[in-house]
Amino acid sequence: MKEDPIPTGGVTPAESLTDALGHTQHAKVLVDESASELSSIHTSLQHKSVQEGNSGTLQTALRRTQAVEEKVQEASDKLAKVTEALGVEVSERQELHQQLAELTEQESAARHAAMHDPLTGLANRTLFNDRLEHGLAQAKRLGLTLAVMFMDLDGFKAVNDTHGHDVGDALLQTVADRLRENTREDDTVCRLGGDEFLYLVMGANDTSTVASLAQKIIDCVQAPCRLSVGSVSIRISMGIACFPVDGDTVDALVKQADTAMYRAKREQTEFAFAR
C-alpha cells in the first residue's frame, strides 16, 4: 500500500521576509545614491558661491540642499537599521525553518522505523494489524471479502546454520523484495519475525483468485536466489484464511491462517486454506 505524499508549495513567511529584505536593501541603495548626488550638488553650489560671491539666492539654495541632504541621510540611516533588523529576522526564520524540517524528517524516520521491519523494510506486525483492522472495517461496511496469507520459509534454519546469519539475512531480504514486487496496490506484506511473513489480500473475490495469487507468490519466492555463497533455493509453506468465512477479527484470521500453514507443512503441500 502506497502512502500519500505530503502536499507542498506556496510562499512561506521566511520567503516573504526575504523578499522584504531585498526590497529594503534596494531602497537603501537608491537613498544612498540620492544622498551622494545631493552632496555633489551641495559641493558644486558651495564652489559657485565662493566664485560668484555670497548672494542671497545661492545661500538659500545651499541651505535647502543641505537640509534635504541631511533628511536623505537620516532616511538612509533608518533604512540601514530596518535592513539590519530584517536580516536578523530572516536569518532566525531560516534557522527555525531548517530546525522544523530536521524535526519533521526525524519524526517521519521514527514513525517509519516504528512501523517497518529494520532488516527488510517491509511492514511490521503493528502496521499489518492496523491495515488489516482498516480492511476488515471496510469489508464489513461494503460487503467485501479479504484474505490473510501466513507464510513460513522451510529449511531456513539450515541455511543459517550452514552459511551463517549474514547469508540468512540476505536470503530474507531477497524473499522480501520478491514479495514486495508481487504486492498489489491495495495489499500489504509484512515480516512477522524470523522467517515468517504475512500477506493481506484486499478484494479477494473468490478462492480461485486467492489460490492463483498464492501460487504466483510461491513460484516467485521459490526461484533460486543468487547469494554470496552461490545459488540457494528455499521452499515456502502457506496457510490462507478468508473473511468472513474463517473469522471477522484480526487475531482470528491470523490464527486460522497460521493453523492452515502448519497443515500445509504436515501434508507437504505448498498452501492450504483454513476451510
Side-chain angles (χ1 to χ4, degrees), residues 36-77:
S36 178
E37 291 174 3
L38 280 170
S39 178
S40 177
I41 292 171
H42 186 70
T43 301
S44 297
L45 286 173
Q46 284 180 323
H47 288 317
K48 189 172 183 181
S49 174
V50 171
Q51 293 171 357
E52 298 181 6
N54 293 325
S55 66
T57 302
L58 278 174
Q59 289 300 314
T60 301
L62 282 169
R63 285 194 298 272
R64 288 179 176 176
T65 55
Q66 185 174 3
V68 173
E69 183 182 350
E70 290 173 353
K71 289 181 179 180
V72 171
Q73 187 58 52
E74 182 182 359
S76 177
D77 293 341

Side-chain angles (χ1 to χ4, degrees), residues 91-137:
S91 178
E92 291 176 348
R93 288 290 185 93
Q94 288 175 337
E95 184 177 354
L96 286 173
H97 183 72
Q98 178 64 27
Q99 291 175 353
L100 177 61
E102 291 174 357
L103 286 173
T104 301
E105 184 176 351
Q106 291 171 5
E107 181 185 357
S108 177
R111 185 167 59 249
H112 184 276
M115 294 291 181
H116 292 79
D117 173 56
L119 177 64
T120 64
L122 295 177
N124 62 15
R125 180 64 184 270
T126 300
L127 180 56
F128 183 85
N129 284 357
D130 181 71
R131 296 272 176 84
L132 179 51
E133 192 75 55
H134 177 76
L136 284 171

Side-chain angles (χ1 to χ4, degrees), residues 78-218:
K78 290 181 178 179
L79 272 173
K81 292 179 180 179
V82 172
T83 300
E84 182 181 359
L86 278 173
V88 171
E89 187 168 356
V90 166
S91 178
E92 291 176 348
R93 288 290 185 93
Q94 288 175 337
E95 184 177 354
L96 286 173
H97 183 72
Q98 178 64 27
Q99 291 175 353
L100 177 61
E102 291 174 357
L103 286 173
T104 301
E105 184 176 351
Q106 291 171 5
E107 181 185 357
S108 177
R111 185 167 59 249
H112 184 276
M115 294 291 181
H116 292 79
D117 173 56
L119 177 64
T120 64
L122 295 177
N124 62 15
R125 180 64 184 270
T126 300
L127 180 56
F128 183 85
N129 284 357
D130 181 71
R131 296 272 176 84
L132 179 51
E133 192 75 55
H134 177 76
L136 284 171
Q138 185 180 41
K140 292 173 183 178
R141 184 173 65 253
L142 301 177
L144 304 176
T145 57
L146 59 80
V148 173
M149 298 176 177
F150 197 116
M151 294 169 278
D152 177 82
L153 304 183
D154 298 332
F156 177 74
K157 184 177 183 301
V159 174
N160 259 344
D161 293 343
T162 303
H163 302 293
H165 290 287
D166 288 344
V167 173
D169 287 348
L171 177 59
L172 288 173
Q173 289 169 334
T174 300
V175 170
D177 289 340
R178 292 176 176 182
L179 289 173
R180 189 182 292 109
E181 289 169 2
N182 285 278
T183 303
R184 304 180 308 172
E185 182 72 21
D186 294 330
D187 296 346
T188 300
V189 61
C190 150
R191 182 188 177 205
L192 184 58
D195 60 344
E196 295 179 333
F197 298 84
L198 289 169
Y199 191 116
L200 169 61
V201 184
M202 295 297 297
N205 296 325
D206 50 55
T207 55
S208 62
T209 300
V210 177
S212 177
L213 177 59
Q215 192 62 58
K216 179 182 177 183
I217 291 172
I218 291 170

Side-chain angles (χ1 to χ4, degrees), residues 4-32:
D4 294 333
I6 299 174
T8 58
V11 179
T12 66
E15 290 172 336
S16 298
L17 275 175
T18 302
D19 291 342
L21 178 60
H23 293 320
T24 306
Q25 289 172 333
H26 181 63
K28 185 179 183 305
V29 170
L30 294 177
V31 170
D32 287 343

